[in-house]
């Protein structure tokens, strides 16, 4: 993966995906139709999913979008501060993290299907929870990676 030697490539890939998620979260937060799809009157007997649904209905999804923007800005700044390319060891770690995130996402699809089949009313909440969990873990790991190798 010769292309991954450049720290700007890592920053660009992470930034583009994070920006797409952030803009989507900010635009849909407090949107009338989105809020209407989340109104289930707590049909599921689960405090977690009812709380997550209330969190989304209250428009807090935009704050997750803002955190994504701040995180990828930090990753960009750290990539700019790093003035040299990654070596083979660092490229191996970075490539492994991207591949692991991809496999984790492939694993989460059947889990999402099972959760949606268990209660279709909470399909949006389930998919948003899995997306946010997946990308947040990946962003944190990439930020730690960028901080570790900025020297």
């Amino acid at each position: 993966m010769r292309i991954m030697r450049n720290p700007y490539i890592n920053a660009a890939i992470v930034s583009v995906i994070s920006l797409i998620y952030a803009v989507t979260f900010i635009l849909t937060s407090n949107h009338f139709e989105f809020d209407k799809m989340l109104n289930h009157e707590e049909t599921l007997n689960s405090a977690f999913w009812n709380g997550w649904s209330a969190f989304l209905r209250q428009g807090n999804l935009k704050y997750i979008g803002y955190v994504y923007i701040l995180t990828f800005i930090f990753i960009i700044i750290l990539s700019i501060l790093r003035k040299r390319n990654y070596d083979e060891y660092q490229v191996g770690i970075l490539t492994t993290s991207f591949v692991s995130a991809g496999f984790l996402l492939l694993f989460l699809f059947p889990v999402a299907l099972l959760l949606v089949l268990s209660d279709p009313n909470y399909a949006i909440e389930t998919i948003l929870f899995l997306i946010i969990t997946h990308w947040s873990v990946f962003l944190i790991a990439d930020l730690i990676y960028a901080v570790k190798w900025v020297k």
Side-chain angles (χ1 to χ4, degrees), residues 66-76 139-140 143:
Y66 295 145
V67 169
Y68 281 7
I69 291 171
L70 286 174
T71 306
F72 82 72
I73 287 173
F74 285 138
I75 291 172
I76 289 172
L139 268 180
I140 291 167
L143 182 62

Side-chain angles (χ1 to χ4, degrees), residues 103-120:
F103 278 123
L104 180 64
L105 187 61
L106 289 175
F107 174 74
L108 288 177
F109 281 131
V111 172
L113 177 65
L114 289 173
L115 289 172
V116 167
L117 288 175
S118 70
D119 190 356

Side-chain angles (χ1 to χ4, degrees), residues 3-98:
I3 195 168
M4 296 304 287
R5 290 185 59 98
N6 190 337
Y8 303 127
I9 299 296
N10 173 39
I13 292 170
V14 170
S15 299
V16 167
I17 296 170
S18 298
L19 187 62
I20 290 169
Y21 279 139
V23 168
T24 303
F25 294 164
I26 292 168
L27 291 178
T28 59
S29 182
N30 283 336
H31 191 273
F32 174 73
E33 290 178 11
F34 180 71
D35 290 343
K36 194 169 120 179
M37 289 188 285
L38 296 175
N39 194 5
H40 309 298
E41 302 299 329
E42 298 186 4
T43 59
L44 189 63
N45 190 15
S46 170
F48 173 77
W49 289 111
N50 290 328
W52 177 247
S53 185
F55 176 83
L56 296 174
R57 270 195 318 272
Q58 293 168 358
N60 295 323
L61 191 59
K62 66 180 169 261
Y63 299 120
I64 296 172
Y66 295 145
V67 169
Y68 281 7
I69 291 171
L70 286 174
T71 306
F72 82 72
I73 287 173
F74 285 138
I75 291 172
I76 289 172
I77 290 170
L78 292 171
S79 296
I80 290 171
L81 291 176
R82 180 175 177 84
K83 303 215 186 301
R84 55 189 159 82
N85 287 341
Y86 295 128
D87 60 19
E88 291 82 21
Y89 174 73
Q90 294 165 333
V91 169
I93 293 172
L94 188 59
T95 303
T96 302
S97 70
F98 272 99

